[in-house]
Amino acid sequence: MSKVKISDKFHLFVAKSKDTKDYEEGDVPFVTSAESNNGVVRCVEPLENDRVFEGPCVVISGLGFATFQVSEFLPKGNGGDSCTVLYAKEEFSAADYIGFASAFNALHKWRFSYGRKCGKNRIMHLEVPWP
């Protein structure tokens, strides 16, 4: 099995939103660095300048945990180091996205922490196995 750079298979986008406490309750799932509940900590009402995303895609949190998102969500931005959203450059199945997220977590999660946040520039050149 060969390996490919993440940026060869995905377009990477930085989240643009505020911190969890800056939002009122709403209908849009708010994805953060949480590992439980697929990264969703609550549902919020997005602010005017927020970037709301639509699945299917993978979200890699600032702590290096990858989740698969299937519908509309708001990823935590907090200055660009909280969530990076990955959209496939070619058509992917749900299994492809889940496989990628699992491989990323197994191979790369250990690299990131509060002291070394996972951002677009730190993950784009990392490699993952690819059939």
Side-chain angles (χ1 to χ4, degrees):
M1 186 175 289
S2 63
K3 290 186 177 185
V4 297
K5 285 193 314 185
I6 291 173
S7 59
D8 289 343
K9 291 291 180 182
F10 293 92
H11 297 285
L12 288 76
F13 299 91
V14 176
K16 184 178 179 189
S17 64
K18 306 285 184 191
D19 193 22
T20 310
K21 66 183 181 294
D22 297 318
Y23 292 96
E24 299 293 324
E25 292 296 320
D27 297 325
V28 178
F30 192 68
V31 176
T32 68
S33 292
E35 292 186 19
S36 61
N37 199 30
N38 204 37
V40 177
V41 292
R42 60 188 269 232
C43 289
V44 299
E45 183 63 37
L47 302 173
E48 185 176 326
N49 293 323
D50 288 344
R51 182 185 291 173
V52 176
F53 290 84
E54 184 74 34
C57 60
V58 167
V59 175
I60 301 178
S61 76
L63 299 179
F65 185 72
T67 60
F68 172 51
Q69 302 298 323
V70 296
S71 59
E72 180 181 60
F73 66 97
L74 179 64
K76 183 179 177 188
N78 207 33
D81 68 354
S82 290
C83 286
T84 304
V85 180
L86 286 69
Y87 284 102
K89 291 184 175 181
E90 58 192 48
E91 188 170 331
F92 274 27
S93 68
D96 292 333
Y97 278 111
I98 293 167
F100 168 78
S102 297
F104 184 90
N105 289 337
L107 294 171
H108 298 298
K109 184 182 178 307
W110 64 270
R111 297 176 185 274
F112 306 103
S113 66
Y114 282 105
R116 187 173 193 273
K117 289 283 191 106
C118 177
K120 178 180 174 180
N121 293 331
R122 285 196 169 140
I123 62 174
M124 63 190 307
H125 299 295
L126 294 177
E127 293 183 338
V128 292
W130 208 262

